[in-house]
Amino acid sequence: MNTLRDQQTSLGRSLGAHLFGLFIFLFLSWAINAQAETSLTALIDPEPVETLTLSEAVIRALKQNLDITVSRQARDVRITDIMLQQAIFDPTVELSGRYDRNVRPLNRPIFGFGGVLIGSEPDNIDQNDLSMRLGLNQKIRTGGQLDFAFDSKRNSVAGSTSFLFNPSYTNSLSVNLTQPLLRNFGPAINETPIHIARHAATSEHYVFVQQVLLVINNVEQAYWELVFVREDEKVAKSALKAAQELLAANRAKVKAGVMANVEVLQAQAGVASRVEQILIAQKAVHDQEDQLRQLFSPSEEELSQNIAVVATDTPTQEANPHKLKHAITKALKQHPEILQAQKSLETGTLNTRLAKNQLLPSLALEGGLGLSGLGRGVRDSLDRTTSSDFYNMGAGLILSYPLGNRSAQSQYNRRVLEANQATATLHRIRQQVIIDTKEADRRVRTDFKRIRTTQTARALAERQLSSEQERLQLGLSTTRAVLEFQSDLAIARGKEQRAIVDYNQSLANLRRMTASTLDEYHIVLQEIDFLKN
């Protein structure tokens, strides 16, 4: 009897020792696992705090982007060419003065003055001239050259002379005109370089507009991509939270003795996998922040800083009511590449017209009218000049034509070919814009349908996970199966967010194709009115 009691006591002590040891093992395992989970969670970066709306991002890019700055400067350089061509018709004023003294030997008397004897030294005449000229010349838009000139001269001869006036003052007023009548005749021909320069500046302006649209589109794409990677990070954190809740529930069940410890290990592996997904998502967030920040063309110091950016705008999920035909019409009317090609065609037409004019013979009218006067003083000379008693006039024609005229003919043929090439280029660009607009429209419609499809898939994944969790509660499923359904849900949520962001990016791309992006942000580009004048 005592032996049986001793055996029972010994067995009780042994069982108590085993239970105590098992408790210590489970406690240490829990502590180690909790510490491991804490260290894993500590790897996750804290949430950023800086916020940025899409409009703010666009404005910052337009103000600081280097590509826009370069394109704007290229356009402004072209604008200076317009003023350079207009300056051809600016008048030129000429003012000059000159003093001359001329002492010459005389071999015979002049007007009864002077004279020499045979064998003696020659006499001389000491003449002093002071002259002044005031002139104005200008090329006129008909192609002619107009010259005005006023000349005044004082002449004096030393000693006694037989001149009527000594000193004498001579004034002359003259007007001369040279006007082409065939080649280079008319404002339409002579203003062609101005129109060509204006078209070149306008084309460069359309390049600038295209660059602005491209930068805005890049900002929109980068902004919405940042929204996606942040949502993807939230999905990863939500998956981590679900895995942690599953781990806590499994531990409670193991502690209650209704679940094997291997289920806890599987749940822990799931937690570690979710932490890895968060780290990958956070790297994607930081990479996308740099991509967006680079579009702002910051300084090297600013770009080196680790400042996070949080996009605060919510992507739209509403259907776009646009019609394809209307979008194509708007694109053909407003797309910068088409407008630039149209200007190139207009330039080709101007060059062809100018080259055709150069095939004509050169026939020019030359004419002049002048008044002159001579007096003892300045007033006498001016009075006689304005009296019209002394005048001159004349006119004539000059005709010239190179035999064969091959240079002008070759230039004309080249301009015709360039105009034909510009026409073909315009047609090609219009066709490409139509194709690109249709593709952008299809992308918008497809991405909108993807939103509805992925939302349905996400809802089904939620129901499947909920059902599997209930099965796990009843002991009909495993932790591995629940973790797989959690992964499926995370993937479904990621696809839903991807479809939403793709839809907003597609809308931005469609606006760029129809050149309606500036209207979307109420942006007005200046100086275009100057180019149209």
Side-chain angles (χ1 to χ4, degrees), residues 107 205 245 340 388 390 487:
N107 192 34
H205 176 76
E245 291 175 352
Q340 184 183 1
S388 303
F390 309 98
S487 298

Side-chain angles (χ1 to χ4, degrees), residues 411-430:
Q411 190 70 9
Y412 173 71
N413 294 337
R414 177 175 180 174
R415 295 307 186 188
V416 170
L417 292 175
E418 290 176 347
N420 293 337
Q421 184 181 27
T423 301
T425 301
L426 175 60
H427 291 326
R428 178 181 59 81
I429 292 177
R430 287 175 65 89

Side-chain angles (χ1 to χ4, degrees), residues 419-466:
N420 293 337
Q421 184 181 27
T423 301
T425 301
L426 175 60
H427 291 326
R428 178 181 59 81
I429 292 177
R430 287 175 65 89
Q431 291 179 354
Q432 189 61 47
V433 167
I434 292 175
I435 295 299
D436 291 344
T437 303
K438 290 175 65 178
E439 191 276 334
D441 174 78
R442 283 193 294 267
R443 190 187 304 178
V444 168
R445 299 180 189 278
T446 300
D447 290 341
F448 180 74
K449 295 176 182 178
R450 284 176 55 209
I451 294 177
R452 302 295 175 247
T453 302
T454 54
Q455 285 176 341
T456 302
R458 185 258 307 158
L460 292 174
E462 289 176 347
R463 290 174 58 184
Q464 288 176 340
L465 175 59
S466 178

Side-chain angles (χ1 to χ4, degrees), residues 12 24 50 73 98 112 145 216 282 381 400 447 493 495:
I24 294 298
E50 185 180 352
Q73 291 173 346
R98 181 181 177 88
Q145 181 73 28
I216 294 178
Q282 287 188 335
S381 177
S400 67
D447 290 341
R493 287 175 175 172
K495 288 184 176 180

Side-chain angles (χ1 to χ4, degrees), residues 182-409:
L182 293 176
R183 186 192 302 173
N184 298 325
F185 172 75
I189 295 299
N190 290 277
E191 293 179 356
T192 295
I194 298 177
H195 296 309
I196 292 176
R198 182 173 287 117
H199 288 172
T202 305
S203 296
E204 200 65 47
H205 176 76
Y206 291 136
V207 173
F208 169 67
V209 173
Q210 179 75 356
Q211 186 63 48
V212 169
L213 295 178
L214 180 60
V215 168
I216 294 178
N217 183 69
N218 290 340
V219 171
E220 291 175 320
Q221 301 294 326
Y223 187 90
W224 293 126
E225 196 64 29
L226 179 59
V227 170
F228 168 73
V229 293
R230 286 212 172 277
E231 290 298 325
D232 196 49
E233 181 187 13
K234 292 179 182 178
V235 170
K237 289 182 177 180
S238 177
L240 173 61
K241 182 179 179 181
Q244 289 174 334
E245 291 175 352
L246 178 62
L247 175 59
N250 286 1
R251 281 178 177 157
K253 292 178 181 179
V254 169
K255 187 175 181 180
V258 296
M259 180 177 283
N261 191 50
V262 67
E263 301 291 337
V264 173
L265 296 178
Q266 289 181 349
Q268 290 172 345
V271 169
S273 176
R274 302 303 186 264
V275 171
E276 179 189 12
Q277 293 301 318
I278 292 178
L279 296 177
I280 294 174
Q282 287 188 335
K283 178 187 178 300
V285 168
H286 297 322
D287 291 343
Q288 195 57 42
E289 287 172 345
D290 287 339
Q291 292 294 323
L292 179 60
R293 190 181 294 111
Q294 188 177 10
L295 295 172
F296 304 152
S297 297
S299 64
E300 293 182 1
E301 181 180 356
E302 293 174 339
L303 196 58
S304 301
Q305 295 176 357
N306 246 347
I307 301 177
V309 179
V310 176
T312 58
D313 283 5
T314 303
T316 181
Q317 302 182 39
E318 298 180 358
N320 190 287
H322 75 277
K323 296 182 179 180
L324 176 59
K325 186 176 181 180
H326 178 69
I328 292 176
T329 302
K330 183 181 292 187
L332 293 177
K333 182 179 179 181
Q334 300 181 170
H335 199 281
E337 288 187 19
I338 292 180
L339 298 177
Q340 184 183 1
Q342 288 175 346
K343 284 300 174 184
S344 297
L345 178 58
E346 293 175 10
T347 299
T349 302
L350 290 174
N351 281 324
T352 302
R353 184 176 64 183
L354 179 60
K356 185 177 181 180
N357 177 264
Q358 299 305 301
L359 296 174
L360 298 174
S362 175
L363 178 63
L365 170 66
E366 290 187 348
L369 175 65
L371 300 173
S372 59
L374 176 66
R376 190 180 304 275
V378 176
R379 176 171 296 183
D380 293 340
S381 177
L382 288 175
D383 290 341
R384 290 188 175 93
T385 300
T386 56
S387 67
S388 303
D389 292 334
F390 309 98
Y391 62 88
N392 63 82
M393 63 176 62
L397 294 173
I398 300 177
L399 175 65
S400 67
Y401 185 77
L403 297 180
N405 203 18
R406 291 188 297 175
S407 176
Q409 186 65 50

